[in-house]
Amino acid sequence: MAIHCSRTCLQYLIHLAHDNVDFRLPEIRALLSLRGKPFDPGESFKEKSPFWRLNGLSEEDVNSIMARTVCAKSAFELWGHGRTHIELRTSLLKYPTENMSPFLQKDSTYKINVYTFNKTLEFEDRIKKIDAMEYLSFEGRVNLRNPKHIFCLLEDYGTDPNDIPDEPLYIYFGRWIADGQRELIRSHSVKNRHFIGNTSMDAGLSFIMANHARVKAYDLVYDPFVGTGSLLVACSHFGAYVCGTDIDYNTIHGIGKASRKNQKWRGPDENIRANLRQYGSEKLYVDVLVSDASKPIWRDGVLFDAIITDPPYGIRESTRRTGSQKDSVNSVKPSEDYVGDSHVPVSMAYHLSDIFTDLLNFSAHHLVIGGRLVYWLPIYRPEYCEEMVPLNACLRLVSNCEQTLSSHTSRRLITMEKIKEPEETDVLAHLSDPHFSPYQGHNAFREKYFSGISKRTLTGKEETNKIATNGGE
């Protein structure tokens, strides 16, 4: 007996890319929350799976997700599913006819694609699988070039490339609705960016950060460590007004030594504004300023809908702040290519623990309620525990995703949401509660990072000596 339901209670299938796996769930949750919808995958949900079934959504909800996501490839209205093709057939024959019929009319055109995950099928095998679905009552004409409706058979062969089964572990069939925005990763690649630096953020990760922050049209977004503005480019793509600050005079003004191969100096129009102009979003560029993140220049009160940033870790970019002449013993000299005014402010070391404390405090004071802070936290993996993630009484931790950098280091994308305005009692709470105390271990990240490299180099030399001693066995 068929199960009848309205088209507002359909089940949808999301086909996800299998990179940045840790970032996918927070991205989809964030995009659903923009429409006030919960994430409801049902009881059989497996986060690492490339296919997610979602409940309680409309087709408009799904289209809104796919219009922004860079973690998902495609979305489908799910008509049937099962562990075998027999189960799939049973499931499809139970699907309500009134839900199918609008897409199977005589005057319509269609085609059927076959997608496989973790296995490549020969063309003949794909055709056989399509022919085996003749039990579906397609009355329209096949049109491979420009069909009105596209249907897809999707087979999941697991996630282990070294253990691919002969038959799929699970099979889905549905009507294609929309593709995700994976193309943005190529079109906004840093390789083709007008203005880049040594630490310009990867395009895909930039869009993921913007989605985690729920950036939307007419928002005002701020990056306190703006660098070459990769995050501003991503946020402006979604219609937000963008601004930023950085302590590096040369980067803000687009002058000094170039980061590109075979180019010594930056050109006359290499700057952040030119990057936004390149992608047609210059009208959303507010401005960027030379400023020290440890000494905010902004007036008191709420200013920003989102704060998105990638603070320096002290590896390829130094962590520094402005100081005074009495602190000059520990000062940092300006770079050789510094071309600013003759007066050079004293530059001091800016410890990572202080960077994160200042960043969270600033966000607590200057984000709107419900606004989000998204930033990267570098981690020495052997010592990591959740207590290392900085906390603030005004900010709720939303997600914590890891991107592995090496066997011993990673960085974690932290997303926090402002839940209340700062109060005087918060200062006392931060002083008395050890959970709010800055984790001083962050300050040694640079030393631990390079010690890991030294250990790997030493291990490699020891292996070489061992092989030489043993006659190359």
Side-chain angles (χ1 to χ4, degrees):
M1 181 177 177
I3 300 173
H4 295 272
C5 66
S6 68
R7 296 198 61 81
T8 57
C9 66
L10 302 174
Q11 192 173 54
Y12 294 92
L13 182 72
I14 306 293
H15 180 198
L16 297 119
H18 210 60
D19 54 9
N20 296 317
V21 173
D22 214 23
F23 302 84
R24 303 185 311 189
L25 182 55
E27 187 200 49
I28 300 301
R29 283 186 185 276
L31 295 180
L32 281 172
S33 70
L34 280 174
R35 292 182 64 84
K37 293 297 180 72
F39 180 80
D40 180 12
E43 296 180 359
S44 60
F45 175 66
K46 295 179 181 178
E47 184 178 343
K48 303 302 180 184
S49 169
F51 300 102
W52 292 353
R53 284 179 274 166
L54 301 184
N55 304 307
L57 303 178
S58 67
E59 190 165 323
E60 290 74 21
D61 294 329
V62 175
N63 274 311
S64 73
I65 295 172
M66 304 312 290
R68 294 192 47 150
T69 177
V70 292
C71 288
K73 289 185 174 182
S74 304
F76 308 87
E77 178 188 313
L78 187 59
W79 285 13
H81 56 89
R83 287 182 295 273
T84 65
H85 280 277
I86 294 175
E87 287 188 8
L88 174 65
R89 173 176 176 152
T90 301
S91 177
L92 282 169
L93 293 177
K94 288 182 178 179
Y95 194 70
T97 304
E98 62 268 27
N99 285 348
M100 287 187 180
S101 57
F103 311 101
L104 306 179
Q105 301 298 324
K106 289 183 179 180
D107 59 349
S108 67
T109 57
Y110 73 96
K111 74 173 180 178
I112 300 176
N113 290 332
V114 177
Y115 292 155
T116 56
F117 181 80
N118 198 32
K119 188 171 186 175
T120 301
L121 295 181
E122 297 292 338
F123 178 75
E124 292 78 8
D125 294 329
R126 293 173 182 267
I127 296 300
K128 288 179 182 178
K129 290 179 182 291
I130 293 173
D131 290 341
M133 304 197 71
E134 60 184 2
Y135 54 85
L136 289 178
S137 55
F138 289 103
E139 298 182 5
R141 292 179 296 103
V142 173
N143 185 331
L144 299 181
R145 290 191 175 184
N146 188 29
K148 187 174 182 181
H149 307 297
I150 300 174
F151 303 92
C152 295
L153 178 70
L154 304 103
E155 297 185 335
D156 182 3
Y157 287 85
T159 57
D160 187 354
N162 298 315
D163 185 20
I164 303 174
D166 293 331
E167 297 297 326
L169 302 178
Y170 215 87
I171 312 164
Y172 307 89
F173 184 86
R175 177 178 65 89
W176 174 83
I177 294 177
D179 288 331
Q181 303 303 307
R182 302 281 295 170
E183 172 62 18
L184 290 175
I185 299 174
R186 185 202 62 80
S187 64
H188 287 66
S189 171
V190 185
K191 295 179 181 178
N192 305 317
R193 190 78 51 84
H194 188 72
F195 175 49
I196 62 169
N198 294 330
T199 57
S200 293
M201 181 63 65
D202 168 82
L205 292 175
S206 297
F207 284 108
I208 286 173
M209 291 178 73
N211 281 333
H212 281 210
R214 302 189 301 191
V215 170
K216 59 187 183 300
Y218 308 112
D219 279 355
L220 179 60
V221 178
Y222 172 59
D223 182 351
F225 301 95
V226 70
T228 56
S230 292
L231 299 179
L232 302 193
V233 168
C235 293
S236 66
H237 176 79
F238 295 126
Y241 291 94
V242 293
C243 59
T245 56
D246 203 287
I247 198 172
D248 192 318
Y249 180 97
N250 285 3
T251 300
I252 287 294
H253 289 279
I255 50 183
K257 290 184 178 179
S259 298
R260 295 185 188 280
K261 188 178 180 181
N262 301 323
Q263 182 181 338
K264 187 173 182 180
W265 302 100
R266 288 175 175 142
D269 194 35
E270 287 191 50
N271 52 56
I272 296 173
R273 180 190 286 270
N275 278 350
L276 272 73
R277 185 185 308 128
Q278 178 181 353
Y279 300 108
S281 56
E282 185 180 7
K283 64 182 180 181
L284 299 170
Y285 175 81
V286 178
D287 209 348
V288 292
L289 305 169
V290 179
S291 176
D292 179 356
S294 71
K295 299 176 175 62
I297 57 175
W298 305 98
R299 61 175 171 80
D300 292 338
V302 170
L303 288 173
F304 306 111
D305 298 287
I307 297 174
I308 307 178
T309 193
D310 181 27
Y313 317 144
I315 307 301
R316 285 188 288 177
E317 296 290 346
S318 62
T319 55
R320 55 197 177 97
R321 61 182 178 85
T322 55
S324 61
Q325 290 298 331
K326 65 181 180 181
D327 300 319
S328 59
V329 175
N330 299 315
S331 64
V332 180
K333 292 182 179 180
S335 59
E336 293 180 0
D337 62 329
Y338 177 79
V339 291
D341 297 335
S342 57
H343 168 68
V344 181
V346 175
S347 184
M348 309 293 300
Y350 193 10
H351 296 302
L352 279 175
S353 60
D354 295 330
I355 288 177
F356 298 125
T357 298
D358 291 345
L359 178 61
L360 267 63
N361 285 337
F362 179 84
S363 301
H365 284 84
H366 294 288
L367 276 174
V368 299
I369 295 293
R372 289 192 169 186
L373 164 66
V374 180
Y375 71 96
W376 289 101
L377 177 71
I379 291 295
Y380 183 61
R381 298 183 76 197
E383 298 178 357
Y384 174 73
C385 61
E386 292 187 359
E387 287 72 21
M388 294 179 182
V389 179
L391 299 177
N392 186 286
C394 298
L395 304 172
R396 173 180 69 89
L397 180 64
V398 175
S399 61
N400 176 354
C401 311
E402 183 182 28
Q403 182 194 27
T404 302
L405 301 177
S406 69
S407 60
H408 62 287
T409 59
S410 68
R411 60 180 180 177
R412 306 190 77 94
L413 186 62
I414 308 298
T415 301
M416 308 186 85
E417 184 174 315
K418 184 172 176 178
I419 55 175
K420 71 183 189 75
E421 294 294 347
E423 301 171 357
E424 290 184 9
T425 54
D426 293 334
V427 177
L428 296 175
H430 283 203
L431 292 174
S432 59
D433 190 339
H435 289 96
F436 294 115
S437 299
Y439 175 66
Q440 299 301 320
H442 291 312
N443 300 334
F445 177 75
R446 176 183 170 85
E447 289 72 22
K448 292 171 183 176
Y449 176 89
F450 285 112
S451 70
I453 293 177
S454 300
K455 288 177 182 177
R456 291 206 308 275
T457 304
L458 183 60
T459 302
K461 289 179 179 177
E462 289 173 350
E463 270 309 309
T464 302
N465 293 335
K466 183 179 179 181
I467 292 171
T469 303
N470 294 333
E473 294 182 7

